[in-house]
Amino acid sequence: MTAILSPSILAADFSCLADDVQRLEKAGINDLHLDVMDGHFVDNITFGVDVIKHLRAKTKMNFDAHLMVENPDKFLSGLKNAGVNSVTVHVEACRHLYHTVETINKFGMQGGVVLNPATDFASLKYMAQDNIIKKVLVMSVEPGYGGQSYLPMSTQKIKDLANWRDENGYEFIIQVDGGINLNNIKTVVEAGAGDIVIGSAMFKNRELEKNAADFKNVLGI
C-alpha cells in the first residue's frame, strides 16, 4: 500500500527542531509538512519563511507548506526562495484562487488547494479541468490546532474526491491532515489518500524512529 508519510513539525519539539527533522530523515522519511499560521485565518501562530529557510539548510527532505493565513499570495515568493517544494492554500483564504495556485506553479513549486471539513470539492471543478491543481488536502479536523481527533465523515469525503478525480482523469494527489494515527491510517489510504500528514502520533513520546517504523509497517512500505 503506497503512500507518502509527511510528518508535521507542528508537533515537534521546537527547542531542537533541526535535530527532530534530521532524525526523521535518517528514519527514511522524505517529506516534511510545514503548517504556517498567522493568528488571523486561524487563532494559532506558528512560524514563517525565516524558520523554513534556516531549516532548509539542515535537510534534503521535500518541504510541503500548508498556508493557514489570510493573504497567501504575499508568502509565495519568500517560500520559493526558502526552498519549499509544494504549497497548499485554503479556498476560503484566496480572493482569486485560480491565480494563487497558478502563481505557485509558475514559481516552480507544486500548487494545491485545502478543503476544510465543511468545504465541498465542487468548487475545484473548473480549475481541475486545467490541471493546475497538483494536490488537494482534505482537512480531517478543523484547521489551526494539533492533537485533534479524526472526523469520521472525512473517510467518505476522501472516497468521493478520489472517485471524482479518477472518473474525470485528473492527476492531483489527495493529501489528508488531522488526527491520523496507527489505527486509522490504513483506512484513509484505502479511501484514496496518497499523502498522509502525521503530527502528534509521529512525535509521540519522542520516539520518532520507532513511530516512523510503525507507520511504515502498517502500510507495508
Side-chain angles (χ1 to χ4, degrees):
M1 188 178 300
T2 303
I4 297 168
L5 300 180
S6 299
S8 169
I9 62 169
L10 185 63
D13 183 342
F14 273 61
S15 69
C16 51
L17 183 55
D19 289 341
D20 278 9
V21 170
Q22 290 170 347
R23 287 175 62 186
L24 289 169
E25 187 171 27
K26 290 178 181 177
I29 300 295
N30 299 315
D31 293 77
L32 199 65
H33 192 73
L34 308 170
D35 289 305
V36 179
M37 307 181 192
D38 65 355
H40 297 286
F41 183 73
V42 294
D43 292 338
N44 201 7
I45 298 174
T46 53
F47 50 84
V49 170
D50 286 344
V51 169
I52 296 171
K53 179 176 66 177
H54 289 296
L55 198 59
R56 176 75 283 175
K58 305 296 184 181
T59 178
K60 295 180 180 179
M61 297 169 76
N62 293 317
F63 278 9
D64 174 40
H66 171 194
L67 299 187
M68 286 170 268
V69 300
E70 276 195 345
N71 186 359
D73 296 72
K74 71 179 182 180
F75 287 81
L76 301 182
S77 177
L79 291 171
K80 173 186 180 296
N81 293 333
V84 168
N85 303 99
S86 58
V87 180
T88 51
V89 295
H90 283 256
V91 173
E92 294 83 0
C94 297
R95 181 173 297 177
H96 305 291
L97 181 61
Y98 190 107
H99 173 74
T100 298
V101 176
E102 187 178 42
T103 300
I104 295 169
N105 292 332
K106 286 180 177 179
F107 275 142
M109 302 179 287
Q110 290 191 327
V113 177
V114 188
L115 302 176
N116 281 343
T119 305
D120 194 333
F121 57 81
S123 60
L124 307 182
K125 177 179 179 180
Y126 297 104
M127 292 178 65
Q129 289 178 4
D130 282 359
N131 198 35
I132 69 167
I133 301 174
K134 309 304 180 183
K135 181 185 299 182
V136 176
L137 168 53
V138 175
M139 290 300 299
S140 46
V141 298
E142 293 291 351
Y145 296 94
Q148 299 181 65
S149 297
Y150 179 84
L151 294 173
M153 62 86 170
S154 305
T155 304
Q156 187 60 52
K157 186 174 184 179
I158 295 166
K159 289 179 180 179
D160 292 343
L161 178 60
N163 288 336
W164 178 71
R165 175 194 62 189
D166 297 344
E167 288 170 359
N168 289 280
Y170 302 141
E171 298 180 353
F172 59 78
I173 190 169
I174 298 174
Q175 186 177 58
V176 61
D177 180 5
I180 303 299
N181 54 47
L182 291 170
N183 295 322
N184 60 24
I185 187 170
K186 194 171 182 180
T187 298
V188 300
V189 173
E190 289 175 345
D195 187 335
I196 317 301
V197 179
I198 309 169
S200 302
M202 184 65 80
F203 293 88
K204 183 179 179 181
N205 298 326
R206 305 283 304 139
E207 297 178 327
L208 280 65
E209 295 82 2
K210 176 183 180 300
N211 296 335
D214 287 345
F215 277 107
K216 288 184 176 183
N217 287 337
V218 169
L219 297 180
I221 59 177

